[in-house]
Amino acid sequence: MRLLIVFLLSGWLLLAQSEHWVATWATSQQLYRAAPPASRPPARPSRPNPARRFGIPAGLDGLNNQTVRMIARTSIAGHRVRIRLASALGSGTVEFGSAHIAIQSKDSAITPGSDRVLTFSGKPRATLYAGATLVSDPVDLDLPPLAHVAVSLYVPGEIGPPTSHTFALHTTWISKEGDFTAKPDI
């Protein structure tokens, strides 16, 4: 089975079975907008405000020479995997200096021996343009059903705030400065 995973600006995890790719995970993007001017009274919510029940983390200002490690839970098993990166809501270009995929062991740590380098058209670096999509080359990685996969992306330059999913069920780790994609823990 082959899996495709999409991440960051939008994510998918694809698994391949008999050369047929199946999406096993995806994220829904959210675009943050500025709050309305203070002179206008706020609109009444038609449903309960989830912010009152759950703390909403502050938005990310941006990334600069940092690694992002995201966790996805696969639904099906597979032996080959690829990721799809999409920038449906992005307004700028994002450079990726390197990308890795591995099986998560605990928190940001990965299972020893499971780390795989991801390439895009045979190259370790890739550029994602606004409104565009990148699909990695397939890599061999035995994933059991319901596995937790860590995808690490290094952004060598400065980018603005990425899109996010406010109520995601997995923590995303952001490193201090540098490329931590191959590190066992962030």
Side-chain angles (χ1 to χ4, degrees):
M1 167 91 33
R2 295 181 188 216
L3 288 177
L4 173 69
I5 303 176
V6 181
F7 279 96
L8 190 62
L9 307 169
S10 169
W12 292 77
L13 175 58
L14 298 180
L15 288 175
Q17 181 176 14
S18 301
E19 301 303 313
H20 173 73
W21 289 97
V22 177
T24 185
W25 179 89
T27 184
S28 58
Q29 296 180 5
Q30 293 182 345
L31 182 62
Y32 290 97
R33 299 188 188 278
S39 61
R40 193 167 90 191
R44 283 189 79 145
S46 59
R47 56 187 173 170
N49 182 352
R52 294 182 184 166
R53 291 181 36 213
F54 307 104
I56 296 177
L60 185 61
D61 291 334
L63 300 170
N64 186 5
N65 186 25
Q66 292 173 285
T67 301
V68 178
R69 182 166 287 170
M70 299 162 283
I71 308 300
R73 182 174 178 229
T74 65
S75 54
I76 57 177
H79 301 290
R80 288 179 57 80
V81 64
R82 62 190 340 182
I83 68 166
R84 181 178 144 226
L85 302 170
S87 181
L89 301 175
S91 60
T93 300
V94 179
E95 299 282 336
F96 296 105
S98 63
H100 284 239
I101 188 167
I103 298 173
Q104 179 194 30
S105 64
K106 183 178 180 188
D107 296 330
S108 72
I110 59 173
T111 302
S114 71
D115 184 45
R116 304 289 187 275
V117 174
L118 292 170
T119 57
F120 300 86
S121 298
K123 298 177 184 171
R125 300 179 68 93
T127 302
L128 179 61
Y129 299 98
T133 299
L134 281 173
V135 179
S136 73
D137 301 325
V139 295
D140 293 330
L141 181 61
D142 289 325
L143 290 174
L146 306 178
H148 287 89
V149 202
V151 173
S152 302
L153 302 169
Y154 171 58
V155 181
E158 185 174 354
I159 64 168
T163 56
S164 67
H165 191 288
T166 306
F167 298 106
L169 300 176
H170 289 283
T171 301
T172 295
W173 284 269
I174 301 172
S175 74
K176 57 186 177 186
E177 287 189 6
D179 183 353
F180 289 81
T181 55
K183 298 289 184 191
D185 198 0
I186 291 184

